[in-house]
Amino acid sequence: MHPNSPSTEDRLQGLLLGAAMGDALGLPSEGLTRGRIARLWPGPLRHRFIAGRGMGSDDTEHLVFTTLSLLRARGDVELFQTTLAGHLKRWLLLFPAGVGLATARSIIKLWLGWKPGNNGVFSAGNGPGMRSSIIGAFFAHDPVLMRQFVAASTRLTHTDPKALTGAHSLAQAAAWILSGNEHAADLFKSWSSLSSDAEWLHAVKLMQSSLIANRSVSDLAIELGSAQRVSGYIYRSVPVALYAWLRHRGDFTATLTEVVHCGGDTDTTAAMAGALAGLDVGIGGIPSGWIQGWCDWPVTRCYLLDLGRIMAMAPETTAPTSRPSFPSWIQVLPRNLGFLLVVLFHGFRRLFPPY
C-alpha cells in the first residue's frame, strides 16, 4: 500500500460517511428516470432533500446496524445474526420510510416467531448489498469469516442466491481495497468465481470490457438493460455501483454523480458505490461541502465518525474501548415522522413539471 494512503481509521470513516453521502444525495431522485433527473436538477450534484441539506434513509441505518452487530459479535456469526435481527425488528416499529418489501416481510416473520436465518424471503433485491461492504472491510484478512458473515447478513432478509452473489461481490471489493492490491484483473477473477450464473458472469465480463474501453457508467447501465433507470434488482444495481467506483477510482464526486444520473434506485446504488469509494479515498477524499450538508439526527456526522474510529480499533483489541449503540426510539421516532413528511413532499413535487 502506498505510504501516503489513508489510515484504516480514515478509510472506515470514509466508508460510513461515503455510504451516507450516496444515500442522501441519491434519495431525492429515487425512482426517477435519468431524463427526468436531468430536467429537474441540471448542474452539479448536491444535497436536495430538505433546504439544500441531506438525510439518510434505510441504507445508512442498515449499515449502522451491521457495524454495531459486528462490534458486538467479535467473530461469533450466530451472535452477529441475532443482534442484527434485533436491530431490524426494533427498526420496523419506528415507521422507517422506504423499507423494501422483501426486507419488511422478512422482519415481520421475525416478529411472528421465525428464528433469524430462517425468516428470509426469496428475493434478489439489493437490500443485502448496503450491509456487505462494512463486513468485507472488517474481515478483509479473513475471507472465511467474511463469507460466513455476509451469508448471515444476506439470508436474514433475502434467500435468492443472486442476492448472496451481489453481496459477496461488494464485500470482496472492500477487502480488495484494504489489501492494497492494484490489479483489477484479480478482482474480476474473484467476482467470476462467486457464481456460475450466466447472468452474473455476463455482468462481470461487461464491467471488465467496459473498463478497458473506458465506457461511461451510463453506457454500462444501458448494456445491462437499464436504459432509463437502474432497478433494485441486485444484478443491475451492484454492477453499476462496482463499475462506477472502479472507473472513477480516487474521484468520489464523479463516482456518485454518474450513479445518481443513471436514475432508478439511486439512493441504494449510490450508497453502495459511496461505501467503496469512501473506503478507497478515506474521509479526506469526500467533498467537505457534502459532509457539512449532512443534517441528520440522531445519526449525526459525529456519530458516524465515532463509529468508524471504534471500528478501526476493534480488530486490535479484545473488546471495543466503548460500547456504541443505536439511538433510542424516543429520538428516532420523531425523526422518522419528520423524515416521512419530507418524503411525501418530494412525492407531491413530482406531480409538477418539468416532466
Side-chain angles (χ1 to χ4, degrees):
M1 191 173 291
H2 193 277
N4 294 324
S5 63
S7 67
T8 299
E9 180 177 322
D10 289 339
R11 288 185 182 278
L12 291 173
Q13 289 178 329
L15 187 157
L16 292 167
L17 263 295
M21 293 306 103
D23 183 14
L25 290 160
L27 186 59
S29 54
E30 183 182 13
L32 295 176
T33 64
R34 65 180 64 199
R36 185 85 193 278
I37 292 170
R39 289 188 289 274
L40 277 170
W41 299 298
L45 181 65
R46 60 182 179 84
H47 288 298
R48 294 186 172 94
F49 186 67
I50 178 170
R53 301 284 180 150
M55 296 177 69
S57 66
D58 58 323
D59 305 290
T60 301
E61 291 168 327
H62 278 232
L63 184 63
V64 170
F65 296 151
T66 306
T67 306
L68 295 174
S69 300
L70 285 169
L71 289 171
R72 184 183 180 198
R74 306 300 301 161
D76 184 334
V77 69
E78 185 176 348
L79 178 58
F80 165 76
Q81 191 176 59
T82 302
T83 303
L84 183 55
H87 281 297
L88 294 177
K89 285 175 67 177
R90 290 186 290 273
W91 173 72
L92 190 64
L93 296 180
L94 297 175
F95 302 100
V99 56
L101 179 60
T103 299
R105 289 170 57 199
S106 66
I107 299 174
I108 290 171
K109 289 174 70 175
L110 287 172
W111 276 111
L112 293 177
W114 267 263
K115 291 184 178 180
N118 296 328
N119 64 299
V121 300
F122 192 79
S123 169
N126 58 10
M130 55 190 171
R131 301 191 292 265
S132 58
S133 293
I134 192 66
I135 300 174
F138 193 71
F139 294 113
H141 304 296
D142 194 332
V144 174
L145 277 180
M146 181 178 70
R147 291 182 68 87
Q148 291 175 356
F149 274 70
V150 169
S153 168
T154 300
R155 290 170 180 153
L156 191 58
T157 52
H158 295 65
T159 61
D160 190 323
K162 295 178 180 180
L164 186 58
T165 298
H168 274 313
S169 69
L170 288 159
Q172 284 185 345
W176 182 84
I177 291 169
L178 291 181
S179 74
N181 190 337
E182 292 296 322
H183 300 289
D186 294 338
L187 191 56
F188 285 113
K189 184 178 180 180
S190 67
W191 288 340
S192 296
S193 68
L194 287 173
S195 173
S196 59
D197 187 338
E199 187 179 4
W200 172 251
L201 293 176
H202 171 71
V204 173
K205 290 179 181 177
L206 190 59
M207 283 190 284
Q208 189 167 22
S209 62
S210 296
L211 190 63
I212 293 171
N214 198 30
R215 298 191 186 100
S216 70
V217 179
S218 295
D219 288 340
L220 175 82
I222 293 170
E223 289 291 326
L224 287 169
S226 302
Q228 294 301 315
R229 67 189 99 198
V230 178
S231 72
Y233 176 42
I234 204 160
Y235 277 8
R236 297 290 182 271
S237 57
V238 165
V240 168
L242 292 172
Y243 183 69
W245 155 64
L246 272 177
R247 185 179 187 274
H248 295 289
R249 283 201 72 191
D251 190 337
F252 188 88
T253 301
T255 299
L256 291 197
T257 297
E258 285 225 40
V259 169
V260 172
H261 286 169
C262 284
D265 198 358
T266 47
D267 58 334
T268 302
T269 308
M272 294 187 293
L276 294 177
L279 181 66
D280 218 352
V281 302
I283 190 68
I286 302 175
S288 59
W290 283 0
I291 295 177
Q292 294 298 323
W294 174 266
C295 69
D296 215 336
W297 180 90
V299 178
T300 63
R301 181 171 64 249
C302 290
Y303 176 90
L304 292 174
L305 290 173
D306 285 343
L307 198 57
R309 175 183 54 81
I310 295 169
M311 193 73 167
M313 293 188 296
E316 301 174 2
T317 59
T318 56
T321 55
S322 59
R323 282 287 181 184
S325 62
F326 196 73
S328 72
W329 68 269
I330 297 175
Q331 297 171 298
V332 176
L333 183 58
R335 177 268 180 199
N336 283 358
L337 294 176
F339 181 88
L340 182 58
L341 290 176
V342 180
V343 170
L344 292 174
F345 168 80
H346 278 276
F348 181 73
R349 168 64 186 87
R350 293 180 182 189
L351 299 175
F352 298 93
Y355 298 111

